[in-house]
Amino acid sequence: MAETKSNSPPPPPTLCYWDIRGLGEPIRLLLAYKGVEYEDKRMAFDPMPAFRETWMKEKYTSGLPFPNLPYWIDGDVKITQSLAVLRYLGAKHDLEAKDAEQAAKLDMVAQATNDMRMGNFIMKFLDPKYADNKEGLLLDLGRKVQELSDYLGDKQWMGGEEITYV
């Protein structure tokens, strides 16, 4: 009996993250910019411990090498960690660095913005004295935003004159 090949198209890639912007939003923005069709799978970000239980049901059954959110599955490609997903999509959709120097600078900016975002998140949601320290934290955030602005300078994009994944 002859084998029949399926003519159906492969399923679209899947991005999975909580149903908040967070670390998933830069990935969603890149995909929208490039017009990529994908499944936007969002896990309910309910109060603890319910939101964690939702993810835990799937976490170790997805075949992910380092199970975490966000994750990106595109056929056999399975990637976790937001920066790794962004780099992969940048390379796939011609939004990556053009040389080693630009790659290092893009990594630097990506890490700086991630540190800024995560530092603010940790302080706001995990520090019981956040309200007492809010003024100082906002001052620090303002300095970090100024650093990004200074680095951008006259460039159109963080990577120079061409848009990249950062």
Side-chain angles (χ1 to χ4, degrees):
M1 192 172 219
E3 244 183 75
T4 58
K5 290 186 179 180
S6 172
N7 289 334
S8 59
T14 300
L15 171 66
C16 182
Y17 190 63
W18 304 110
D19 62 356
I20 60 173
R21 288 185 298 245
L23 298 174
E25 199 64 11
I27 299 166
R28 292 183 193 111
L29 290 170
L30 184 152
L31 294 166
Y33 174 73
K34 294 306 282 187
V36 176
E37 290 186 30
Y38 68 101
E39 177 188 355
D40 189 3
K41 182 176 180 180
R42 298 192 185 209
M43 297 276 184
F45 195 74
D46 297 324
M48 283 281 243
F51 87 91
R52 190 158 176 80
E53 290 171 6
T54 303
W55 165 232
M56 294 307 282
K57 288 177 187 173
E58 179 181 329
K59 185 172 184 174
Y60 297 106
T61 62
S62 302
L64 298 165
F66 301 99
N68 206 352
L69 295 176
Y71 70 70
W72 177 258
I73 297 177
D74 186 1
D76 292 335
V77 175
K78 295 181 178 188
I79 306 170
T80 57
Q81 304 297 341
S82 56
L83 188 52
V85 173
L86 282 167
R87 282 184 183 150
Y88 168 79
L89 293 170
K92 185 171 181 173
H93 298 288
D94 197 32
L95 294 173
E96 63 186 332
K98 303 305 178 208
D99 57 41
E101 180 182 354
Q102 187 185 33
K105 289 178 178 179
L106 290 175
D107 284 349
M108 179 177 65
V109 172
Q111 294 292 326
T113 57
N114 191 53
D115 287 352
M116 185 171 61
R117 177 177 47 236
M118 293 310 293
N120 190 45
F121 173 84
I122 289 167
M123 292 298 172
K124 186 171 185 177
F125 294 104
L126 302 179
D127 184 354
K129 296 183 180 189
Y130 173 76
D132 298 337
N133 300 327
K134 185 176 180 180
E135 188 175 319
L137 294 169
L138 289 174
L139 217 74
D140 187 51
L141 180 61
R143 281 191 286 266
K144 291 177 180 181
V145 169
Q146 185 61 53
E147 289 172 357
L148 286 171
S149 179
D150 292 346
Y151 180 80
L152 180 61
D154 292 333
K155 296 187 292 279
Q156 185 172 0
W157 307 101
M158 288 296 181
E161 298 311 310
E162 294 181 18
I163 192 167
T164 64
Y165 69 91
V166 175

